[in-house]
């Protein structure tokens, strides 16, 4: 049972009879009268459970984008229902203006919309719909929380998609410049042309020549279909925040941009995510929907406070196939983690694949290096210089082994990785 603000006002109104007839019995009678009236008003209130409440499905949205939860409330009774409804969600769902006044006549229904703005990836759930319906006098109210399920799926934001048009333009330019037509070689048929002296006779298309006045030959171009394996590190080193964004989320952004670009280039994209064990795996033959599949897969990934088992992740990479591929390791360039866990398994990867390590650099190190106006800042600058030197040495070791290292800030990593991929394509190194 709930009481409204009218009950205290009604009690204050009891000062009038007390002043007119000052006696303890007058106070007691007035209190009893207020209790009885409030109880009767509560008994006459419509039960919230008699209302029919349904929730529409909510579309998946990117992190930070707005969604809408729509509730349909129907009054199957013949009585007038006035009240307040609260559509409760977990805090990270970002529900706004979720308290609504309702007024339904008998047999009527209404639609209530609550705005959502997710602040975390993954499945975000509704906590229930609370209805408070007062009685005819507005003194007592019935309240109940109905377990109306609801879920909004929050996907990675993919903010780097703004770089995709310019990289696709470069890809088209690259395809136009490198579409080499060679005689009797390659695996993809390109076109027919007139035979000239020096052409390999094995490339003559006799059927086409029979239909033409001249002898024609087939031209071919090298196969452009390649494999890209994206490996996302979800271990403890990915939990560190650069600014307000975890390193894992920045690596996801770079993953989505490269996957979208590679799919448009006709390459096959595979994806593996894990730490001490494999958390997610996506096999794709190069479809245009690869970014949507990756966003849905990565939505539930969170950093795990454990070291990465690169032996297990390498086994997962080999399990995708032995065909030579471009393997992109999206993991922070942390010297201890790289030297102890990653270096021992790199030879087996480099034996079959070309390996790129993409890391998010912390700009705070550079800022600490510049601030030396006080003794504590000098110590901090010395520590930052030591960390940066360790990262440089680790990068040199990886480069000497044949690994391409991209270590840059979170906002520059996605385009830098995409540019490196295009550079490898342009040089024929994939």
């Amino acid at each position: 049972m709930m009481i409204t603000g009218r009950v205290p006002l009604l009690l204050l109104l009891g000062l009038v009879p007390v002043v007119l007839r000052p006696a303890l019995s007058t106070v007691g009678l007035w209190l009893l009268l207020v209790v009885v009236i409030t109880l009767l008003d509560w008994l006459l209130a419509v039960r919230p459970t008699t209302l029919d409440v349904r929730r529409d499905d909510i579309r998946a949205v990117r992190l930070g984008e707005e969604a809408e939860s729509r509730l349909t409330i129907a009054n199957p009774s013949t009585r007038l229902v006035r009240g307040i409804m609260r559509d409760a969600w977990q805090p990270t769902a970002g529900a706004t203006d979720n308290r609504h006044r309702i007024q339904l006549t008998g047999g009527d229904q209404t639609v209530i919309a609550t705005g959502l703005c997710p602040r975390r990836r993954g499945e975000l759930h509704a906590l229930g719909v609370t209805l408070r319906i007062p009685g005819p006098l507005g003194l007592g109210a019935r309240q109940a929380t109905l377990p109306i399920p609801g879920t909004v799926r929050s996907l990675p934001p993919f903010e780097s998609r703004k770089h995709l048009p310019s990289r696709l333009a470069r890809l088209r330019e690259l395809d136009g410049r490198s579409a080499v037509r060679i005689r009797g070689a390659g695996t993809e048929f390109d076109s027919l042309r007139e035979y000239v002296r020096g052409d390999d006779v094995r490339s003559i298309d006799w059927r086409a020549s029979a239909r033409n006045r001249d002898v024609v030959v087939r031209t071919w171009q090298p196969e452009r279909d390649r494999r890209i394996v994206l490996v996302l590190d979800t271990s403890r080193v990915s939990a560190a925040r650069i600014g307000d964004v975890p390193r894992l989320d920045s690596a996801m952004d770079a993953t989505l941009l490269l996957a979208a670009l590679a799919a448009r280039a006709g390459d096959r994209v595979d994806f593996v995510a894990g730490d001490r064990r494999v958390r997610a795996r996506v096999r794709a033959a190069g479809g245009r929907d690869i970014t949507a599949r990756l966003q849905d897969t990565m939505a539930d990934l969170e950093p795990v406070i454990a070291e990465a088992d690169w032996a297990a992740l390498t086994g997962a990479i080999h399990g995708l196939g032995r065909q030579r591929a471009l393997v992109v390791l999206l993991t922070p360039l942390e010297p201890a983690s790289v030297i102890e866990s990653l270096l021992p398994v790199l030879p087996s990867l480099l034996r079959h694949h070309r390996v790129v390590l993409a890391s998010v650099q912390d700009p705070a190190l550079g800022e600490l290096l510049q601030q030396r106006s006080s003794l504590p800042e000098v110590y901090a600058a010395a520590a930052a210089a030591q960390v940066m030197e360790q990262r440089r040495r680790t990068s040199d070791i990886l480069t000497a082994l044949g690994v391409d290292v991209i270590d840059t800030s979170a906002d520059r990593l996605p385009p830098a990785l995409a540019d490196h991929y295009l550079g490898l394509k342009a040089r024929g190194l994939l």
Side-chain angles (χ1 to χ4, degrees):
M1 176 179 178
M2 302 291 298
I3 61 173
T4 68
R6 296 184 180 185
V7 175
L9 294 177
L10 187 59
L11 289 173
L12 289 176
L13 188 62
L15 293 175
V16 175
V18 170
V19 170
L20 296 177
R21 187 176 180 274
L24 188 60
S25 59
T26 304
V27 176
L29 288 174
W30 186 259
L31 289 176
L32 180 60
L33 179 63
V34 171
V35 170
V36 171
I37 293 176
T38 303
L39 184 59
L40 289 174
D41 192 49
W42 173 75
L43 291 173
L44 292 174
V46 177
R47 294 178 181 273
T49 53
T50 61
L51 299 181
D52 183 16
V53 183
R54 301 185 307 275
R55 190 190 302 275
D56 296 342
D57 293 335
I58 307 173
R59 64 180 180 86
V61 296
R62 295 190 179 100
L63 181 66
E65 293 184 353
E66 294 184 354
E68 192 176 65
S69 171
R70 297 173 64 86
L71 290 168
T72 302
I73 304 176
N75 178 17
S77 68
T78 58
R79 298 178 58 185
L80 175 66
V81 174
R82 291 191 181 95
I84 299 176
M85 185 212 73
R86 178 175 180 262
D87 188 9
W89 287 77
Q90 64 183 91
T92 50
T96 57
D97 299 328
N98 62 341
R99 295 177 183 270
H100 309 274
R101 292 190 175 275
I102 58 173
Q103 179 172 329
L104 297 171
T105 58
D108 194 10
Q109 69 176 25
T110 185
V111 177
I112 303 296
T114 299
L116 303 175
C117 186
R119 296 192 293 267
R120 184 176 65 82
R121 289 180 289 100
E123 298 279 351
L124 307 178
H125 301 281
L127 302 179
V129 176
T130 301
L131 290 167
R132 180 182 295 176
I133 303 176
L137 300 178
L139 298 175
R142 294 182 183 268
Q143 179 171 306
T145 298
L146 309 180
I148 308 299
T151 302
V152 58
R153 187 163 181 79
S154 177
L155 307 176
F158 194 12
E159 295 178 352
S160 63
R161 63 183 181 276
K162 61 187 177 184
H163 300 292
L164 187 58
S166 60
R167 270 61 189 182
L168 289 176
R170 289 183 54 187
L171 180 64
R172 288 190 293 268
E173 178 185 353
L174 178 64
D175 287 343
R177 186 173 65 248
S178 62
V180 181
R181 276 63 173 173
I182 52 181
R183 303 185 302 268
T187 57
E188 292 187 2
F189 172 75
D190 180 62
S191 62
L192 297 171
R193 64 169 176 81
E194 185 180 347
Y195 173 85
V196 295
R197 182 173 297 181
D199 284 342
D200 190 342
V201 295
R202 291 174 299 179
S203 65
I204 296 176
D205 189 322
W206 295 106
R207 291 188 177 182
S209 300
R211 297 192 298 267
N212 290 272
R213 301 177 60 181
D214 301 313
V215 178
V216 295
V217 295
R218 298 188 186 96
T219 60
W220 308 83
Q221 62 183 1
E223 181 183 1
R224 293 178 296 173
D225 184 20
R226 296 292 184 266
R227 282 185 63 229
I228 311 294
V229 181
L230 303 171
V231 184
L232 186 64
D233 182 2
T234 60
S235 67
R236 64 169 184 84
V237 292
S238 299
R241 302 183 76 88
I242 305 300
D244 292 332
V245 181
R247 274 177 168 164
L248 180 61
D249 289 42
S250 300
M252 287 180 179
D253 205 28
T255 299
L256 291 171
L257 180 62
L258 181 57
L261 185 61
R264 297 292 183 89
D267 294 338
R268 291 170 292 169
V269 180
D270 295 328
F271 173 78
V272 174
D275 35 82
R276 59 188 173 188
R277 64 181 180 87
V278 177
R279 302 286 175 178
R281 185 186 285 110
V282 174
R283 293 294 302 269
R288 294 292 183 92
D289 64 338
I290 182 63
T291 53
R293 294 179 59 187
L294 287 181
Q295 279 185 303
D296 187 65
T297 300
M298 293 190 295
D300 299 316
L301 295 177
E302 295 293 342
V304 176
I305 309 304
E307 295 291 340
D309 185 355
W310 283 105
L313 294 177
T314 301
I317 296 171
H318 291 323
L320 296 174
R322 289 287 181 174
Q323 179 187 353
R324 183 170 177 81
L326 173 66
V327 177
V328 181
L329 308 178
L330 293 117
T331 180
L333 188 62
E334 295 296 333
S337 177
V338 170
I339 292 175
E340 293 178 7
S341 182
L342 180 57
L343 277 183
V345 302
L346 272 179
S348 64
L349 275 179
L350 292 168
R351 192 177 303 118
H352 299 96
H353 310 291
R354 186 174 189 92
V355 180
V356 176
L357 188 144
S359 169
V360 178
Q361 190 180 84
D362 190 353
L365 293 175
E367 296 174 1
L368 290 175
L369 201 59
Q370 301 299 324
Q371 299 173 1
R372 304 182 183 184
S373 59
S374 64
L375 186 60
E377 290 181 351
V378 170
Y379 286 133
Q386 184 178 13
V387 172
M388 294 179 70
E389 178 62 20
Q390 291 174 348
R391 291 173 66 92
R392 186 191 64 79
R393 290 179 181 177
T394 305
S395 177
D396 291 343
I397 293 174
L398 293 174
T399 303
L401 291 174
V403 178
D404 299 334
V405 178
I406 303 174
D407 186 25
T408 185
S409 59
D411 58 334
R412 296 180 57 186
L413 180 62
L417 183 57
D419 291 340
H420 186 75
Y421 164 77
L422 293 173
L424 293 176
K425 265 192 170 299
R427 290 178 288 165
L429 297 179
L430 291 184

